[in-house]
Amino acid sequence: MTMQHSKGVSLDAKDFLTLKTLTPEQLQQLIDLGIHLKQLVQTNQPHPYLTGKTLAMIFEKSSTRTRVSFEVGMAQLGGHALNLSSDNLQMGRGETVQDTAKVFSEYVDAIMIRTYSHAMVEELAANATVPVINGLTDDYHPCQVLADLMTLVELKGSLIGKKLAYVGDGNNMAHSLMIGCAKMGMTCAIASPEGYMPKEEIVQTAKGIAGETGGSIIITNEPREAVEAADAVYTDVWASMGWESEQAEREIAFKDFQVNDELVKYAASDYTFLHCLPAHRGEEVTASVLDGSHSYVFQEAGNRLHAQKALLLSLLQSS
């Protein structure tokens, strides 16, 4: 079958560390490109637009969806991905981030890193001459939210004026969802218990973006307030990677923040349930919601592949 020509989205930044560097128009264009690339896969149309390109994938945090989606994505685009654990790199034995960035820039066309410190990813990007993609840090998870928003566009159409409720830990997911929803002109309501609220500086950033797009940000300690009339309900595990030692105390703090059949009664009748996965059935969400007719978590997970291909194509088309 003849390959169709496809161009990536013209981005303002070399790197993709958060959603903040995207304009609303660029974000919408990335989503649209992801949907187009998904259609090429569904119709068995080859699209090796990145032939000869190599992506280095550095993992300090374990991964299922991030590793597989980026590796398969590069393969479908005609390129190659290297799966690298920090334990097997000199970076894990004392080589500086600055030196690692410069060495990798001699070998590969882009770097994706999944790690703890966002400041370290910023340092990597500052010293690399190739694009750096944030596959997850403790502060942000922008690739996941690209897929989340793509899923909602597929299901809801235009997202302007729609409401997403996030119930749970004010973590990297809450941070990126606030920014992504604000860019799309949505209302993003975050319900977290005291002591686990999203970072105030990121809340203020998201509110500033929302003020320009007609969206809004709501921060509350009441799950029902957040979920009221929500078009989408979202949650995440109560103890993310790096916080497992707090599991017992978090179960107490979050006991009233479970997404269950009673809570989702307050959402819109056609609400969509989303979760970044992996999910702990019976903790942050009941099996009846996760496996119910409103849940699109596996379509959402699948869209990591297509949204990230759109991102890769956009970052690497001119590199």
Side-chain angles (χ1 to χ4, degrees), residues 14-18 55-58 66 70 74 109-115 121 124-125 130-137 142-143 146 308-309 311-313 315-316:
K14 169 180 75 75
D15 309 299
F16 183 71
L17 307 187
T18 77
L55 172 71
M57 306 187 300
I58 303 173
T66 298
F70 270 109
M74 281 299 290
D109 300 286
I111 304 166
M112 187 282 295
I113 183 166
R114 181 178 169 93
T115 188
V121 176
L124 186 71
V130 298
V132 172
I133 299 169
N134 174 11
L136 175 141
T137 64
C143 290
L146 268 184
Q308 288 162 191
K309 283 166 64 178
L311 177 64
L312 288 165
L313 182 56
L315 289 171
L316 291 177

PDB file of all heavy atoms in Angstrom, residues 14-18 55-58 66 70 74 109-115 121 124-125 130-137 142-143 146 308-309 311-313 315-316:
ATOM      1  N   LYS A  14      12.599  22.545  21.618  1.00  0.00           N
ATOM      2  CA  LYS A  14      13.353  21.364  21.189  1.00  0.00           C
ATOM      3  C   LYS A  14      12.899  20.118  21.939  1.00  0.00           C
ATOM      4  O   LYS A  14      12.874  19.014  21.385  1.00  0.00           O
ATOM      5  CB  LYS A  14      14.855  21.596  21.434  1.00  0.00           C
ATOM      6  CG  LYS A  14      15.721  20.335  21.283  1.00  0.00           C
ATOM      7  CD  LYS A  14      17.187  20.641  21.539  1.00  0.00           C
ATOM      8  CE  LYS A  14      17.509  20.828  23.015  1.00  0.00           C
ATOM      9  NZ  LYS A  14      17.544  19.541  23.762  1.00  0.00           N
ATOM     10  N   ASP A  15      12.532  20.304  23.219  1.00  0.00           N
ATOM     11  CA  ASP A  15      12.243  19.192  24.112  1.00  0.00           C
ATOM     12  C   ASP A  15      10.761  19.138  24.476  1.00  0.00           C
ATOM     13  O   ASP A  15      10.002  20.081  24.228  1.00  0.00           O
ATOM     14  CB  ASP A  15      13.077  19.325  25.395  1.00  0.00           C
ATOM     15  CG  ASP A  15      14.555  19.532  25.108  1.00  0.00           C
ATOM     16  OD1 ASP A  15      15.160  18.634  24.491  1.00  0.00           O
ATOM     17  OD2 ASP A  15      15.092  20.596  25.487  1.00  0.00           O
ATOM     18  N   PHE A  16      10.371  18.037  25.110  1.00  0.00           N
ATOM     19  CA  PHE A  16       9.007  17.880  25.609  1.00  0.00           C
ATOM     20  C   PHE A  16       9.112  17.421  27.066  1.00  0.00           C
ATOM     21  O   PHE A  16       9.156  16.234  27.356  1.00  0.00           O
ATOM     22  CB  PHE A  16       8.238  16.861  24.772  1.00  0.00           C
ATOM     23  CG  PHE A  16       6.790  16.701  25.196  1.00  0.00           C
ATOM     24  CD1 PHE A  16       5.869  17.712  24.957  1.00  0.00           C
ATOM     25  CD2 PHE A  16       6.359  15.551  25.820  1.00  0.00           C
ATOM     26  CE1 PHE A  16       4.536  17.571  25.337  1.00  0.00           C
ATOM     27  CE2 PHE A  16       5.037  15.388  26.199  1.00  0.00           C
ATOM     28  CZ  PHE A  16       4.120  16.398  25.958  1.00  0.00           C
ATOM     29  N   LEU A  17       9.170  18.405  27.962  1.00  0.00           N
ATOM     30  CA  LEU A  17       9.328  18.109  29.384  1.00  0.00           C
ATOM     31  C   LEU A  17       8.027  18.263  30.151  1.00  0.00           C
ATOM     32  O   LEU A  17       7.804  17.579  31.151  1.00  0.00           O
ATOM     33  CB  LEU A  17      10.410  19.005  30.000  1.00  0.00           C
ATOM     34  CG  LEU A  17      11.771  19.013  29.293  1.00  0.00           C
ATOM     35  CD1 LEU A  17      12.779  19.797  30.111  1.00  0.00           C
ATOM     36  CD2 LEU A  17      12.268  17.605  29.017  1.00  0.00           C
ATOM     37  N   THR A  18       7.195  19.196  29.739  1.00  0.00           N
ATOM     38  CA  THR A  18       5.854  19.378  30.291  1.00  0.00           C
ATOM     39  C   THR A  18       4.951  19.834  29.151  1.00  0.00           C
ATOM     40  O   THR A  18       5.424  20.158  28.063  1.00  0.00           O
ATOM     41  CB  THR A  18       5.807  20.431  31.417  1.00  0.00           C
ATOM     42  OG1 THR A  18       5.858  21.742  30.834  1.00  0.00           O
ATOM     43  CG2 THR A  18       6.957  20.272  32.404  1.00  0.00           C
ATOM     44  N   LEU A  55      15.925   6.269  19.116  1.00  0.00           N
ATOM     45  CA  LEU A  55      15.500   6.837  20.391  1.00  0.00           C
ATOM     46  C   LEU A  55      16.158   6.060  21.526  1.00  0.00           C
ATOM     47  O   LEU A  55      16.026   4.835  21.601  1.00  0.00           O
ATOM     48  CB  LEU A  55      13.976   6.747  20.536  1.00  0.00           C
ATOM     49  CG  LEU A  55      13.386   7.126  21.899  1.00  0.00           C
ATOM     50  CD1 LEU A  55      13.500   8.630  22.133  1.00  0.00           C
ATOM     51  CD2 LEU A  55      11.930   6.669  22.010  1.00  0.00           C
ATOM     52  N   ALA A  56      16.868   6.753  22.406  1.00  0.00           N
ATOM     53  CA  ALA A  56      17.395   6.141  23.627  1.00  0.00           C
ATOM     54  C   ALA A  56      16.351   6.285  24.724  1.00  0.00           C
ATOM     55  O   ALA A  56      15.847   7.382  24.968  1.00  0.00           O
ATOM     56  CB  ALA A  56      18.699   6.812  24.039  1.00  0.00           C
ATOM     57  N   MET A  57      16.020   5.178  25.374  1.00  0.00           N
ATOM     58  CA  MET A  57      15.031   5.189  26.453  1.00  0.00           C
ATOM     59  C   MET A  57      15.742   4.831  27.762  1.00  0.00           C
ATOM     60  O   MET A  57      16.225   3.710  27.934  1.00  0.00           O
ATOM     61  CB  MET A  57      13.913   4.185  26.182  1.00  0.00           C
ATOM     62  CG  MET A  57      13.245   4.348  24.827  1.00  0.00           C
ATOM     63  SD  MET A  57      11.794   3.259  24.655  1.00  0.00           S
ATOM     64  CE  MET A  57      12.545   1.636  24.855  1.00  0.00           C
ATOM     65  N   ILE A  58      15.814   5.800  28.678  1.00  0.00           N
ATOM     66  CA  ILE A  58      16.491   5.597  29.958  1.00  0.00           C
ATOM     67  C   ILE A  58      15.441   5.408  31.046  1.00  0.00           C
ATOM     68  O   ILE A  58      14.553   6.256  31.218  1.00  0.00           O
ATOM     69  CB  ILE A  58      17.390   6.799  30.312  1.00  0.00           C
ATOM     70  CG1 ILE A  58      18.417   7.044  29.201  1.00  0.00           C
ATOM     71  CG2 ILE A  58      18.083   6.577  31.650  1.00  0.00           C
ATOM     72  CD1 ILE A  58      19.232   8.311  29.396  1.00  0.00           C
ATOM     73  N   THR A  66       4.979   2.828  29.135  1.00  0.00           N
ATOM     74  CA  THR A  66       5.929   3.777  28.552  1.00  0.00           C
ATOM     75  C   THR A  66       6.947   3.059  27.679  1.00  0.00           C
ATOM     76  O   THR A  66       7.202   3.456  26.531  1.00  0.00           O
ATOM     77  CB  THR A  66       6.640   4.573  29.660  1.00  0.00           C
ATOM     78  OG1 THR A  66       5.667   5.330  30.387  1.00  0.00           O
ATOM     79  CG2 THR A  66       7.675   5.528  29.067  1.00  0.00           C
ATOM     80  N   PHE A  70       6.646   3.395  23.462  1.00  0.00           N
ATOM     81  CA  PHE A  70       7.714   4.104  22.755  1.00  0.00           C
ATOM     82  C   PHE A  70       8.492   3.161  21.841  1.00  0.00           C
ATOM     83  O   PHE A  70       8.858   3.525  20.716  1.00  0.00           O
ATOM     84  CB  PHE A  70       8.666   4.782  23.742  1.00  0.00           C
ATOM     85  CG  PHE A  70       8.271   6.189  24.093  1.00  0.00           C
ATOM     86  CD1 PHE A  70       7.773   6.490  25.360  1.00  0.00           C
ATOM     87  CD2 PHE A  70       8.403   7.214  23.177  1.00  0.00           C
ATOM     88  CE1 PHE A  70       7.410   7.782  25.692  1.00  0.00           C
ATOM     89  CE2 PHE A  70       8.048   8.521  23.495  1.00  0.00           C
ATOM     90  CZ  PHE A  70       7.544   8.797  24.761  1.00  0.00           C
ATOM     91  N   MET A  74       8.418   3.666  17.782  1.00  0.00           N
ATOM     92  CA  MET A  74       9.585   3.903  16.937  1.00  0.00           C
ATOM     93  C   MET A  74       9.686   2.852  15.837  1.00  0.00           C
ATOM     94  O   MET A  74      10.031   3.171  14.696  1.00  0.00           O
ATOM     95  CB  MET A  74      10.863   3.908  17.784  1.00  0.00           C
ATOM     96  CG  MET A  74      11.106   5.202  18.526  1.00  0.00           C
ATOM     97  SD  MET A  74      11.299   6.658  17.462  1.00  0.00           S
ATOM     98  CE  MET A  74      12.893   6.340  16.691  1.00  0.00           C
ATOM     99  N   ASP A 109      19.145  10.140  18.137  1.00  0.00           N
ATOM    100  CA  ASP A 109      18.399  11.296  17.622  1.00  0.00           C
ATOM    101  C   ASP A 109      17.466  11.906  18.654  1.00  0.00           C
ATOM    102  O   ASP A 109      17.000  13.041  18.495  1.00  0.00           O
ATOM    103  CB  ASP A 109      17.590  10.869  16.393  1.00  0.00           C
ATOM    104  CG  ASP A 109      18.494  10.341  15.288  1.00  0.00           C
ATOM    105  OD1 ASP A 109      19.172  11.163  14.647  1.00  0.00           O
ATOM    106  OD2 ASP A 109      18.543   9.114  15.095  1.00  0.00           O
ATOM    107  N   ALA A 110      17.165  11.169  19.730  1.00  0.00           N
ATOM    108  CA  ALA A 110      16.310  11.681  20.798  1.00  0.00           C
ATOM    109  C   ALA A 110      16.510  10.816  22.037  1.00  0.00           C
ATOM    110  O   ALA A 110      16.949   9.665  21.948  1.00  0.00           O
ATOM    111  CB  ALA A 110      14.840  11.683  20.384  1.00  0.00           C
ATOM    112  N   ILE A 111      16.170  11.392  23.173  1.00  0.00           N
ATOM    113  CA  ILE A 111      16.280  10.694  24.459  1.00  0.00           C
ATOM    114  C   ILE A 111      14.945  10.770  25.164  1.00  0.00           C
ATOM    115  O   ILE A 111      14.366  11.854  25.298  1.00  0.00           O
ATOM    116  CB  ILE A 111      17.364  11.328  25.367  1.00  0.00           C
ATOM    117  CG1 ILE A 111      18.719  11.355  24.660  1.00  0.00           C
ATOM    118  CG2 ILE A 111      17.444  10.600  26.701  1.00  0.00           C
ATOM    119  CD1 ILE A 111      19.744  12.254  25.356  1.00  0.00           C
ATOM    120  N   MET A 112      14.441   9.626  25.599  1.00  0.00           N
ATOM    121  CA  MET A 112      13.269   9.604  26.487  1.00  0.00           C
ATOM    122  C   MET A 112      13.740   9.077  27.833  1.00  0.00           C
ATOM    123  O   MET A 112      14.452   8.074  27.893  1.00  0.00           O
ATOM    124  CB  MET A 112      12.174   8.692  25.920  1.00  0.00           C
ATOM    125  CG  MET A 112      10.842   8.741  26.693  1.00  0.00           C
ATOM    126  SD  MET A 112      10.840   7.779  28.235  1.00  0.00           S
ATOM    127  CE  MET A 112      11.018   6.116  27.609  1.00  0.00           C
ATOM    128  N   ILE A 113      13.367   9.754  28.913  1.00  0.00           N
ATOM    129  CA  ILE A 113      13.788   9.329  30.238  1.00  0.00           C
ATOM    130  C   ILE A 113      12.597   9.264  31.189  1.00  0.00           C
ATOM    131  O   ILE A 113      11.717  10.136  31.171  1.00  0.00           O
ATOM    132  CB  ILE A 113      14.900  10.245  30.798  1.00  0.00           C
ATOM    133  CG1 ILE A 113      15.366   9.724  32.171  1.00  0.00           C
ATOM    134  CG2 ILE A 113      14.445  11.714  30.858  1.00  0.00           C
ATOM    135  CD1 ILE A 113      16.674  10.353  32.630  1.00  0.00           C
ATOM    136  N   ARG A 114      12.567   8.224  31.994  1.00  0.00           N
ATOM    137  CA  ARG A 114      11.517   8.004  32.996  1.00  0.00           C
ATOM    138  C   ARG A 114      12.236   7.884  34.339  1.00  0.00           C
ATOM    139  O   ARG A 114      12.947   6.903  34.597  1.00  0.00           O
ATOM    140  CB  ARG A 114      10.739   6.735  32.660  1.00  0.00           C
ATOM    141  CG  ARG A 114       9.592   6.400  33.606  1.00  0.00           C
ATOM    142  CD  ARG A 114       8.889   5.132  33.119  1.00  0.00           C
ATOM    143  NE  ARG A 114       7.955   4.615  34.094  1.00  0.00           N
ATOM    144  CZ  ARG A 114       6.665   4.899  34.151  1.00  0.00           C
ATOM    145  NH1 ARG A 114       6.146   5.739  33.257  1.00  0.00           N
ATOM    146  NH2 ARG A 114       5.885   4.365  35.052  1.00  0.00           N
ATOM    147  N   THR A 115      12.042   8.897  35.202  1.00  0.00           N
ATOM    148  CA  THR A 115      12.873   8.978  36.396  1.00  0.00           C
ATOM    149  C   THR A 115      12.133   9.681  37.525  1.00  0.00           C
ATOM    150  O   THR A 115      10.920   9.900  37.453  1.00  0.00           O
ATOM    151  CB  THR A 115      14.200   9.687  36.050  1.00  0.00           C
ATOM    152  OG1 THR A 115      15.083   9.610  37.172  1.00  0.00           O
ATOM    153  CG2 THR A 115      13.982  11.147  35.663  1.00  0.00           C
ATOM    154  N   VAL A 121      15.884  15.891  34.715  1.00  0.00           N
ATOM    155  CA  VAL A 121      15.461  15.846  33.313  1.00  0.00           C
ATOM    156  C   VAL A 121      15.712  17.206  32.654  1.00  0.00           C
ATOM    157  O   VAL A 121      16.134  17.279  31.495  1.00  0.00           O
ATOM    158  CB  VAL A 121      13.987  15.433  33.211  1.00  0.00           C
ATOM    159  CG1 VAL A 121      13.503  15.476  31.766  1.00  0.00           C
ATOM    160  CG2 VAL A 121      13.789  14.033  33.781  1.00  0.00           C
ATOM    161  N   LEU A 124      19.338  17.329  31.882  1.00  0.00           N
ATOM    162  CA  LEU A 124      19.633  16.493  30.719  1.00  0.00           C
ATOM    163  C   LEU A 124      19.285  17.239  29.435  1.00  0.00           C
ATOM    164  O   LEU A 124      20.070  17.274  28.478  1.00  0.00           O
ATOM    165  CB  LEU A 124      18.839  15.191  30.814  1.00  0.00           C
ATOM    166  CG  LEU A 124      19.112  14.119  29.760  1.00  0.00           C
ATOM    167  CD1 LEU A 124      20.480  13.483  29.975  1.00  0.00           C
ATOM    168  CD2 LEU A 124      18.026  13.043  29.793  1.00  0.00           C
ATOM    169  N   ALA A 125      18.106  17.858  29.404  1.00  0.00           N
ATOM    170  CA  ALA A 125      17.663  18.590  28.215  1.00  0.00           C
ATOM    171  C   ALA A 125      18.552  19.799  27.936  1.00  0.00           C
ATOM    172  O   ALA A 125      18.835  20.115  26.775  1.00  0.00           O
ATOM    173  CB  ALA A 125      16.211  19.018  28.386  1.00  0.00           C
ATOM    174  N   VAL A 130      20.039  16.938  21.256  1.00  0.00           N
ATOM    175  CA  VAL A 130      18.910  16.243  20.638  1.00  0.00           C
ATOM    176  C   VAL A 130      17.694  16.399  21.548  1.00  0.00           C
ATOM    177  O   VAL A 130      17.835  16.717  22.738  1.00  0.00           O
ATOM    178  CB  VAL A 130      19.230  14.742  20.420  1.00  0.00           C
ATOM    179  CG1 VAL A 130      20.415  14.583  19.473  1.00  0.00           C
ATOM    180  CG2 VAL A 130      19.488  14.032  21.747  1.00  0.00           C
ATOM    181  N   PRO A 131      16.487  16.194  21.014  1.00  0.00           N
ATOM    182  CA  PRO A 131      15.287  16.347  21.846  1.00  0.00           C
ATOM    183  C   PRO A 131      15.269  15.378  23.031  1.00  0.00           C
ATOM    184  O   PRO A 131      15.667  14.217  22.905  1.00  0.00           O
ATOM    185  CB  PRO A 131      14.145  16.035  20.872  1.00  0.00           C
ATOM    186  CG  PRO A 131      14.707  16.321  19.517  1.00  0.00           C
ATOM    187  CD  PRO A 131      16.149  15.934  19.592  1.00  0.00           C
ATOM    188  N   VAL A 132      14.793  15.880  24.161  1.00  0.00           N
ATOM    189  CA  VAL A 132      14.608  15.065  25.366  1.00  0.00           C
ATOM    190  C   VAL A 132      13.121  15.039  25.689  1.00  0.00           C
ATOM    191  O   VAL A 132      12.459  16.081  25.714  1.00  0.00           O
ATOM    192  CB  VAL A 132      15.408  15.628  26.565  1.00  0.00           C
ATOM    193  CG1 VAL A 132      15.050  14.884  27.856  1.00  0.00           C
ATOM    194  CG2 VAL A 132      16.904  15.521  26.291  1.00  0.00           C
ATOM    195  N   ILE A 133      12.602  13.838  25.914  1.00  0.00           N
ATOM    196  CA  ILE A 133      11.185  13.632  26.231  1.00  0.00           C
ATOM    197  C   ILE A 133      11.058  13.149  27.660  1.00  0.00           C
ATOM    198  O   ILE A 133      11.733  12.198  28.065  1.00  0.00           O
ATOM    199  CB  ILE A 133      10.556  12.595  25.277  1.00  0.00           C
ATOM    200  CG1 ILE A 133      10.623  13.073  23.828  1.00  0.00           C
ATOM    201  CG2 ILE A 133       9.110  12.298  25.671  1.00  0.00           C
ATOM    202  CD1 ILE A 133      10.255  12.002  22.810  1.00  0.00           C
ATOM    203  N   ASN A 134      10.194  13.791  28.417  1.00  0.00           N
ATOM    204  CA  ASN A 134       9.907  13.372  29.782  1.00  0.00           C
ATOM    205  C   ASN A 134       8.896  12.231  29.751  1.00  0.00           C
ATOM    206  O   ASN A 134       7.717  12.433  29.503  1.00  0.00           O
ATOM    207  CB  ASN A 134       9.353  14.554  30.590  1.00  0.00           C
ATOM    208  CG  ASN A 134       8.905  14.153  31.985  1.00  0.00           C
ATOM    209  OD1 ASN A 134       9.169  13.055  32.457  1.00  0.00           O
ATOM    210  ND2 ASN A 134       8.210  15.067  32.661  1.00  0.00           N
ATOM    211  N   GLY A 135       9.377  11.005  30.013  1.00  0.00           N
ATOM    212  CA  GLY A 135       8.501   9.843  30.077  1.00  0.00           C
ATOM    213  C   GLY A 135       7.805   9.696  31.401  1.00  0.00           C
ATOM    214  O   GLY A 135       6.887   8.889  31.543  1.00  0.00           O
ATOM    215  N   LEU A 136       8.219  10.445  32.401  1.00  0.00           N
ATOM    216  CA  LEU A 136       7.595  10.560  33.722  1.00  0.00           C
ATOM    217  C   LEU A 136       8.639  11.056  34.697  1.00  0.00           C
ATOM    218  O   LEU A 136       9.787  10.605  34.681  1.00  0.00           O
ATOM    219  CB  LEU A 136       7.039   9.215  34.214  1.00  0.00           C
ATOM    220  CG  LEU A 136       6.464   9.190  35.648  1.00  0.00           C
ATOM    221  CD1 LEU A 136       5.212   8.320  35.722  1.00  0.00           C
ATOM    222  CD2 LEU A 136       7.501   8.661  36.645  1.00  0.00           C
ATOM    223  N   THR A 137       8.243  12.025  35.533  1.00  0.00           N
ATOM    224  CA  THR A 137       9.021  12.411  36.707  1.00  0.00           C
ATOM    225  C   THR A 137       8.058  12.502  37.880  1.00  0.00           C
ATOM    226  O   THR A 137       6.854  12.328  37.727  1.00  0.00           O
ATOM    227  CB  THR A 137       9.724  13.772  36.520  1.00  0.00           C
ATOM    228  OG1 THR A 137       8.717  14.800  36.367  1.00  0.00           O
ATOM    229  CG2 THR A 137      10.646  13.780  35.320  1.00  0.00           C
ATOM    230  N   PRO A 142       3.576  14.183  31.181  1.00  0.00           N
ATOM    231  CA  PRO A 142       2.904  14.809  30.035  1.00  0.00           C
ATOM    232  C   PRO A 142       2.523  13.836  28.923  1.00  0.00           C
ATOM    233  O   PRO A 142       1.515  14.053  28.238  1.00  0.00           O
ATOM    234  CB  PRO A 142       3.934  15.832  29.544  1.00  0.00           C
ATOM    235  CG  PRO A 142       5.256  15.291  30.005  1.00  0.00           C
ATOM    236  CD  PRO A 142       4.973  14.644  31.321  1.00  0.00           C
ATOM    237  N   CYS A 143       3.305  12.777  28.711  1.00  0.00           N
ATOM    238  CA  CYS A 143       2.964  11.827  27.642  1.00  0.00           C
ATOM    239  C   CYS A 143       1.650  11.111  27.940  1.00  0.00           C
ATOM    240  O   CYS A 143       0.846  10.857  27.039  1.00  0.00           O
ATOM    241  CB  CYS A 143       4.090  10.814  27.464  1.00  0.00           C
ATOM    242  SG  CYS A 143       5.597  11.516  26.752  1.00  0.00           S
ATOM    243  N   LEU A 146      -1.210  13.483  27.120  1.00  0.00           N
ATOM    244  CA  LEU A 146      -1.450  13.541  25.671  1.00  0.00           C
ATOM    245  C   LEU A 146      -2.418  12.435  25.255  1.00  0.00           C
ATOM    246  O   LEU A 146      -3.370  12.671  24.502  1.00  0.00           O
ATOM    247  CB  LEU A 146      -0.139  13.363  24.903  1.00  0.00           C
ATOM    248  CG  LEU A 146       0.681  14.585  24.497  1.00  0.00           C
ATOM    249  CD1 LEU A 146       1.880  14.144  23.673  1.00  0.00           C
ATOM    250  CD2 LEU A 146      -0.154  15.597  23.730  1.00  0.00           C
ATOM    251  N   GLN A 308       2.203   9.373  21.342  1.00  0.00           N
ATOM    252  CA  GLN A 308       3.654   9.507  21.418  1.00  0.00           C
ATOM    253  C   GLN A 308       4.303   9.435  20.037  1.00  0.00           C
ATOM    254  O   GLN A 308       5.334  10.070  19.795  1.00  0.00           O
ATOM    255  CB  GLN A 308       4.229   8.440  22.350  1.00  0.00           C
ATOM    256  CG  GLN A 308       3.908   8.747  23.804  1.00  0.00           C
ATOM    257  CD  GLN A 308       4.059   7.574  24.737  1.00  0.00           C
ATOM    258  OE1 GLN A 308       3.645   7.641  25.882  1.00  0.00           O
ATOM    259  NE2 GLN A 308       4.632   6.476  24.279  1.00  0.00           N
ATOM    260  N   LYS A 309       3.700   8.678  19.120  1.00  0.00           N
ATOM    261  CA  LYS A 309       4.200   8.689  17.741  1.00  0.00           C
ATOM    262  C   LYS A 309       4.042  10.082  17.132  1.00  0.00           C
ATOM    263  O   LYS A 309       4.932  10.557  16.405  1.00  0.00           O
ATOM    264  CB  LYS A 309       3.475   7.641  16.911  1.00  0.00           C
ATOM    265  CG  LYS A 309       3.960   6.220  17.153  1.00  0.00           C
ATOM    266  CD  LYS A 309       3.022   5.186  16.581  1.00  0.00           C
ATOM    267  CE  LYS A 309       2.920   5.241  15.082  1.00  0.00           C
ATOM    268  NZ  LYS A 309       2.026   4.184  14.562  1.00  0.00           N
ATOM    269  N   LEU A 311       4.126  12.822  18.781  1.00  0.00           N
ATOM    270  CA  LEU A 311       5.158  13.626  19.431  1.00  0.00           C
ATOM    271  C   LEU A 311       6.534  13.349  18.828  1.00  0.00           C
ATOM    272  O   LEU A 311       7.288  14.284  18.506  1.00  0.00           O
ATOM    273  CB  LEU A 311       5.155  13.317  20.926  1.00  0.00           C
ATOM    274  CG  LEU A 311       6.223  14.021  21.767  1.00  0.00           C
ATOM    275  CD1 LEU A 311       6.026  15.530  21.750  1.00  0.00           C
ATOM    276  CD2 LEU A 311       6.203  13.496  23.206  1.00  0.00           C
ATOM    277  N   LEU A 312       6.864  12.074  18.667  1.00  0.00           N
ATOM    278  CA  LEU A 312       8.156  11.707  18.090  1.00  0.00           C
ATOM    279  C   LEU A 312       8.317  12.276  16.686  1.00  0.00           C
ATOM    280  O   LEU A 312       9.378  12.823  16.338  1.00  0.00           O
ATOM    281  CB  LEU A 312       8.298  10.177  18.059  1.00  0.00           C
ATOM    282  CG  LEU A 312       8.511   9.486  19.406  1.00  0.00           C
ATOM    283  CD1 LEU A 312       8.263   8.000  19.281  1.00  0.00           C
ATOM    284  CD2 LEU A 312       9.930   9.754  19.926  1.00  0.00           C
ATOM    285  N   LEU A 313       7.281  12.143  15.873  1.00  0.00           N
ATOM    286  CA  LEU A 313       7.333  12.656  14.513  1.00  0.00           C
ATOM    287  C   LEU A 313       7.543  14.163  14.516  1.00  0.00           C
ATOM    288  O   LEU A 313       8.318  14.701  13.714  1.00  0.00           O
ATOM    289  CB  LEU A 313       6.050  12.280  13.781  1.00  0.00           C
ATOM    290  CG  LEU A 313       5.912  12.675  12.311  1.00  0.00           C
ATOM    291  CD1 LEU A 313       7.083  12.124  11.491  1.00  0.00           C
ATOM    292  CD2 LEU A 313       4.595  12.179  11.747  1.00  0.00           C
ATOM    293  N   LEU A 315       8.956  16.048  16.915  1.00  0.00           N
ATOM    294  CA  LEU A 315      10.254  16.433  17.442  1.00  0.00           C
ATOM    295  C   LEU A 315      11.389  16.057  16.490  1.00  0.00           C
ATOM    296  O   LEU A 315      12.414  16.746  16.452  1.00  0.00           O
ATOM    297  CB  LEU A 315      10.501  15.768  18.800  1.00  0.00           C
ATOM    298  CG  LEU A 315       9.668  16.280  19.968  1.00  0.00           C
ATOM    299  CD1 LEU A 315       9.863  15.385  21.193  1.00  0.00           C
ATOM    300  CD2 LEU A 315       9.995  17.730  20.318  1.00  0.00           C
ATOM    301  N   LEU A 316      11.199  14.987  15.727  1.00  0.00           N
ATOM    302  CA  LEU A 316      12.318  14.441  14.948  1.00  0.00           C
ATOM    303  C   LEU A 316      12.212  14.718  13.454  1.00  0.00           C
ATOM    304  O   LEU A 316      13.148  14.415  12.719  1.00  0.00           O
ATOM    305  CB  LEU A 316      12.397  12.925  15.147  1.00  0.00           C
ATOM    306  CG  LEU A 316      12.835  12.485  16.547  1.00  0.00           C
ATOM    307  CD1 LEU A 316      12.806  10.974  16.675  1.00  0.00           C
ATOM    308  CD2 LEU A 316      14.216  13.007  16.862  1.00  0.00           C
TER     309      LEU A 316
END
